[in-house]
Amino acid sequence: ELRSDLLSRFHGEEVALRALVHLPRGWYDEPERDWPLFLFVSGFGATFEGFRSVDWPAPPLSGEDYVVVY
């Protein structure tokens, strides 16, 4: 969770954005590896409950492991 200064100023109240980071198998075994990144950007109003059906850890995409940020 991260406070957004821009959105907080715009709305006149505290606004925080949350993200979910989905790490691939092998993340801790290969700390020096450059991992591909997949960003999933939803609209405002999305919830973490909407991501409960996601496989953990991230399944390979086209046969390659990657990091996903929701």
Side-chain angles (χ1 to χ4, degrees):
E1 187 168 309
L2 178 67
R3 179 187 183 277
S4 171
D5 291 333
L6 290 174
L7 288 174
S8 295
R9 277 197 304 264
F10 178 80
H11 290 287
E13 60 185 48
E14 293 291 313
V15 176
L17 301 174
R18 295 189 299 169
L20 177 68
V21 179
H22 194 167
L23 300 175
R25 287 179 171 79
W27 173 261
Y28 294 105
D29 297 330
E30 300 179 64
E32 300 300 319
R33 179 177 172 181
D34 290 329
W35 295 90
L37 178 63
F38 179 84
L39 295 173
F40 181 87
V41 180
S42 63
F44 282 105
T47 64
F48 286 120
E49 289 76 27
F51 297 109
R52 286 190 178 178
S53 63
V54 175
D55 293 332
W56 293 90
L61 182 68
S62 298
E64 186 170 4
D65 288 331
Y66 56 97
V67 174
V68 183
V69 177
Y70 300 97

